[in-house]
Short mmCIF file of all heavy atoms in Angstrom, two decimals:
data_model
loop_
_atom_site.label_atom_id
_atom_site.label_comp_id
_atom_site.label_asym_id
_atom_site.label_seq_id
_atom_site.Cartn_x
_atom_site.Cartn_y
_atom_site.Cartn_z
N LYS A 1187 25.89 28.25 -40.88
CA LYS A 1187 26.24 27.98 -42.28
C LYS A 1187 27.70 27.73 -42.45
O LYS A 1187 28.19 26.79 -43.15
CB LYS A 1187 25.78 29.05 -43.21
CG LYS A 1187 25.96 28.82 -44.70
CD LYS A 1187 25.35 29.98 -45.51
CE LYS A 1187 25.53 29.70 -47.00
NZ LYS A 1187 25.05 30.85 -47.77
N PHE A 1188 28.54 28.55 -41.81
CA PHE A 1188 30.00 28.43 -41.87
C PHE A 1188 30.47 27.20 -41.17
O PHE A 1188 31.28 26.44 -41.73
CB PHE A 1188 30.61 29.68 -41.16
CG PHE A 1188 32.06 29.63 -41.05
CD1 PHE A 1188 32.92 30.04 -42.06
CD2 PHE A 1188 32.69 29.14 -39.87
CE1 PHE A 1188 34.32 30.03 -41.96
CE2 PHE A 1188 34.12 29.11 -39.75
CZ PHE A 1188 34.91 29.53 -40.80
N PHE A 1189 29.97 26.87 -40.02
CA PHE A 1189 30.36 25.64 -39.27
C PHE A 1189 30.02 24.41 -40.07
O PHE A 1189 30.71 23.45 -40.08
CB PHE A 1189 29.72 25.61 -37.93
CG PHE A 1189 30.22 26.61 -36.92
CD1 PHE A 1189 29.40 27.20 -35.92
CD2 PHE A 1189 31.56 27.03 -36.98
CE1 PHE A 1189 29.90 28.11 -35.05
CE2 PHE A 1189 32.04 27.98 -36.09
CZ PHE A 1189 31.22 28.52 -35.10
N GLY A 1190 28.86 24.47 -40.75
CA GLY A 1190 28.46 23.36 -41.58
C GLY A 1190 29.37 23.15 -42.77
O GLY A 1190 29.78 22.04 -43.10
N LYS A 1191 29.69 24.22 -43.41
CA LYS A 1191 30.56 24.19 -44.57
C LYS A 1191 31.93 23.61 -44.27
O LYS A 1191 32.46 22.83 -45.03
CB LYS A 1191 30.73 25.60 -45.18
CG LYS A 1191 31.65 25.68 -46.39
CD LYS A 1191 31.74 27.10 -46.93
CE LYS A 1191 32.63 27.16 -48.09
NZ LYS A 1191 32.76 28.57 -48.70
N TYR A 1192 32.51 23.98 -43.10
CA TYR A 1192 33.87 23.53 -42.77
C TYR A 1192 33.88 22.46 -41.75
O TYR A 1192 34.92 22.17 -41.11
CB TYR A 1192 34.71 24.77 -42.28
CG TYR A 1192 34.99 25.69 -43.40
CD1 TYR A 1192 34.27 26.89 -43.56
CD2 TYR A 1192 35.96 25.40 -44.37
CE1 TYR A 1192 34.53 27.73 -44.64
CE2 TYR A 1192 36.16 26.22 -45.45
CZ TYR A 1192 35.46 27.38 -45.53
OH TYR A 1192 35.78 28.22 -46.63
N LYS A 1193 32.77 21.74 -41.60
CA LYS A 1193 32.64 20.49 -40.85
C LYS A 1193 33.13 20.66 -39.40
O LYS A 1193 33.82 19.76 -38.81
CB LYS A 1193 33.51 19.42 -41.54
CG LYS A 1193 33.22 19.16 -42.97
CD LYS A 1193 31.75 18.76 -43.23
CE LYS A 1193 31.46 18.56 -44.67
NZ LYS A 1193 29.98 18.32 -44.97
N PHE A 1194 32.76 21.74 -38.72
CA PHE A 1194 32.99 21.85 -37.29
C PHE A 1194 32.08 20.88 -36.57
O PHE A 1194 30.91 20.69 -36.96
CB PHE A 1194 32.69 23.29 -36.82
CG PHE A 1194 33.83 24.25 -36.99
CD1 PHE A 1194 34.31 24.56 -38.27
CD2 PHE A 1194 34.36 24.93 -35.86
CE1 PHE A 1194 35.29 25.49 -38.43
CE2 PHE A 1194 35.35 25.87 -36.01
CZ PHE A 1194 35.85 26.15 -37.30
N LEU A 1195 32.61 20.25 -35.50
CA LEU A 1195 31.76 19.45 -34.61
C LEU A 1195 31.50 20.26 -33.40
O LEU A 1195 32.43 20.67 -32.67
CB LEU A 1195 32.44 18.14 -34.24
CG LEU A 1195 31.74 17.29 -33.15
CD1 LEU A 1195 30.38 16.82 -33.65
CD2 LEU A 1195 32.62 16.07 -32.78
N LEU A 1196 30.24 20.55 -33.07
CA LEU A 1196 29.88 21.37 -31.95
C LEU A 1196 29.42 20.51 -30.76
O LEU A 1196 28.66 19.55 -30.95
CB LEU A 1196 28.83 22.37 -32.31
CG LEU A 1196 29.29 23.73 -32.74
CD1 LEU A 1196 30.14 23.57 -34.09
CD2 LEU A 1196 28.20 24.72 -32.97
N GLY A 1197 29.86 20.86 -29.57
CA GLY A 1197 29.30 20.31 -28.34
C GLY A 1197 28.45 21.38 -27.74
O GLY A 1197 28.93 22.46 -27.34
N VAL A 1198 27.14 21.08 -27.60
CA VAL A 1198 26.19 22.12 -27.10
C VAL A 1198 25.79 21.65 -25.66
O VAL A 1198 25.33 20.56 -25.43
CB VAL A 1198 24.96 22.21 -27.99
CG1 VAL A 1198 24.03 23.28 -27.48
CG2 VAL A 1198 25.36 22.51 -29.44
N SER A 1199 25.87 22.63 -24.71
CA SER A 1199 25.57 22.31 -23.37
C SER A 1199 24.04 22.41 -23.11
O SER A 1199 23.42 23.45 -23.39
CB SER A 1199 26.24 23.30 -22.43
OG SER A 1199 27.66 23.13 -22.46
N LEU A 1200 23.48 21.31 -22.65
CA LEU A 1200 22.03 21.25 -22.38
C LEU A 1200 21.86 20.24 -21.24
O LEU A 1200 22.15 19.07 -21.45
CB LEU A 1200 21.29 20.79 -23.61
CG LEU A 1200 19.76 20.77 -23.48
CD1 LEU A 1200 19.15 22.22 -23.36
CD2 LEU A 1200 19.13 20.04 -24.69
N ASP A 1201 21.38 20.68 -20.11
CA ASP A 1201 21.32 19.75 -18.93
C ASP A 1201 20.06 18.98 -18.79
O ASP A 1201 19.88 18.23 -17.80
CB ASP A 1201 21.56 20.60 -17.63
CG ASP A 1201 23.00 21.06 -17.51
OD1 ASP A 1201 23.83 20.62 -18.28
OD2 ASP A 1201 23.31 21.88 -16.64
N GLY A 1202 19.11 19.11 -19.71
CA GLY A 1202 17.90 18.34 -19.61
C GLY A 1202 16.69 19.20 -19.98
O GLY A 1202 16.85 20.30 -20.66
N PRO A 1203 15.51 18.83 -19.57
CA PRO A 1203 14.33 19.64 -19.86
C PRO A 1203 14.40 20.99 -19.14
O PRO A 1203 15.27 21.14 -18.30
CB PRO A 1203 13.17 18.81 -19.31
CG PRO A 1203 13.79 17.81 -18.35
CD PRO A 1203 15.20 17.59 -18.89
N PRO A 1204 13.53 21.92 -19.48
CA PRO A 1204 13.73 23.30 -19.03
C PRO A 1204 13.85 23.42 -17.50
O PRO A 1204 14.74 24.15 -17.02
CB PRO A 1204 12.40 23.97 -19.45
CG PRO A 1204 12.01 23.28 -20.71
CD PRO A 1204 12.46 21.83 -20.47
N TYR A 1205 13.08 22.74 -16.73
CA TYR A 1205 13.16 22.91 -15.25
C TYR A 1205 14.50 22.48 -14.71
O TYR A 1205 14.90 22.98 -13.61
CB TYR A 1205 11.94 22.31 -14.57
CG TYR A 1205 12.16 20.77 -14.20
CD1 TYR A 1205 12.44 20.38 -12.95
CD2 TYR A 1205 11.90 19.82 -15.22
CE1 TYR A 1205 12.63 19.04 -12.66
CE2 TYR A 1205 12.06 18.49 -14.91
CZ TYR A 1205 12.42 18.09 -13.65
OH TYR A 1205 12.62 16.75 -13.33
N LEU A 1206 15.15 21.53 -15.31
CA LEU A 1206 16.46 21.10 -14.87
C LEU A 1206 17.55 21.99 -15.43
O LEU A 1206 18.45 22.40 -14.70
CB LEU A 1206 16.69 19.65 -15.24
CG LEU A 1206 15.85 18.57 -14.50
CD1 LEU A 1206 16.08 17.23 -15.05
CD2 LEU A 1206 16.15 18.60 -13.02
N HIS A 1207 17.50 22.24 -16.69
CA HIS A 1207 18.52 23.03 -17.35
C HIS A 1207 18.58 24.40 -16.81
O HIS A 1207 19.67 25.00 -16.49
CB HIS A 1207 18.24 23.13 -18.88
CG HIS A 1207 19.13 24.06 -19.60
ND1 HIS A 1207 20.28 23.63 -20.17
CD2 HIS A 1207 19.01 25.38 -19.84
CE1 HIS A 1207 20.94 24.69 -20.77
NE2 HIS A 1207 20.14 25.76 -20.60
N ASP A 1208 17.43 25.05 -16.60
CA ASP A 1208 17.40 26.46 -16.19
C ASP A 1208 17.69 26.71 -14.73
O ASP A 1208 17.84 27.84 -14.31
CB ASP A 1208 16.00 27.10 -16.51
CG ASP A 1208 15.77 27.25 -18.03
OD1 ASP A 1208 16.75 27.36 -18.75
OD2 ASP A 1208 14.58 27.23 -18.43
N TYR A 1209 17.81 25.65 -13.94
CA TYR A 1209 18.06 25.82 -12.52
C TYR A 1209 19.44 26.58 -12.31
O TYR A 1209 19.51 27.45 -11.48
CB TYR A 1209 18.07 24.50 -11.79
CG TYR A 1209 18.02 24.65 -10.30
CD1 TYR A 1209 16.84 24.82 -9.59
CD2 TYR A 1209 19.26 24.74 -9.57
CE1 TYR A 1209 16.82 24.98 -8.21
CE2 TYR A 1209 19.21 24.91 -8.17
CZ TYR A 1209 17.99 25.04 -7.54
OH TYR A 1209 18.01 25.19 -6.13
N TYR A 1210 20.42 26.12 -13.09
CA TYR A 1210 21.76 26.74 -12.91
C TYR A 1210 22.17 27.51 -14.12
O TYR A 1210 23.03 28.50 -13.98
CB TYR A 1210 22.84 25.68 -12.58
CG TYR A 1210 22.82 25.09 -11.22
CD1 TYR A 1210 22.67 23.71 -11.04
CD2 TYR A 1210 22.83 25.85 -10.11
CE1 TYR A 1210 22.68 23.14 -9.77
CE2 TYR A 1210 22.83 25.34 -8.88
CZ TYR A 1210 22.73 23.92 -8.69
OH TYR A 1210 22.67 23.43 -7.43
N ARG A 1211 21.68 27.19 -15.25
CA ARG A 1211 22.19 27.82 -16.57
C ARG A 1211 21.39 29.05 -16.88
O ARG A 1211 20.40 28.96 -17.61
CB ARG A 1211 22.20 26.82 -17.65
CG ARG A 1211 23.15 25.61 -17.36
CD ARG A 1211 23.32 24.71 -18.56
NE ARG A 1211 24.08 25.40 -19.65
CZ ARG A 1211 25.40 25.49 -19.66
NH1 ARG A 1211 26.15 25.04 -18.68
NH2 ARG A 1211 25.99 26.15 -20.67
N LYS A 1212 21.86 30.23 -16.38
CA LYS A 1212 21.12 31.47 -16.59
C LYS A 1212 22.04 32.48 -17.25
O LYS A 1212 23.25 32.37 -17.22
CB LYS A 1212 20.60 31.96 -15.24
CG LYS A 1212 19.52 31.13 -14.59
CD LYS A 1212 19.04 31.76 -13.34
CE LYS A 1212 17.73 31.05 -12.83
NZ LYS A 1212 17.98 29.70 -12.40
N THR A 1213 21.40 33.53 -17.79
CA THR A 1213 22.15 34.61 -18.42
C THR A 1213 22.78 35.50 -17.29
O THR A 1213 22.54 35.33 -16.12
CB THR A 1213 21.24 35.49 -19.26
OG1 THR A 1213 20.31 36.11 -18.46
CG2 THR A 1213 20.52 34.68 -20.29
N LEU A 1214 23.53 36.47 -17.79
CA LEU A 1214 24.09 37.51 -16.82
C LEU A 1214 22.97 38.13 -16.08
O LEU A 1214 23.18 38.48 -14.91
CB LEU A 1214 24.87 38.58 -17.66
CG LEU A 1214 26.38 38.30 -17.96
CD1 LEU A 1214 26.84 39.23 -19.03
CD2 LEU A 1214 27.16 38.43 -16.71
N GLY A 1215 21.82 38.35 -16.67
CA GLY A 1215 20.68 38.93 -16.00
C GLY A 1215 19.85 37.96 -15.23
O GLY A 1215 18.72 38.24 -14.81
#
Side-chain angles (χ1 to χ4, degrees):
K1187 184 177 180 181
F1188 175 84
F1189 290 148
K1191 178 179 179 180
Y1192 290 102
K1193 309 299 181 186
F1194 276 61
L1195 172 62
L1196 268 62
V1198 182
S1199 295
L1200 183 70
D1201 287 350
Y1205 84 100
L1206 291 174
H1207 174 91
D1208 288 335
Y1209 192 88
Y1210 287 126
R1211 298 190 66 82
K1212 292 182 169 66
T1213 66
L1214 272 164

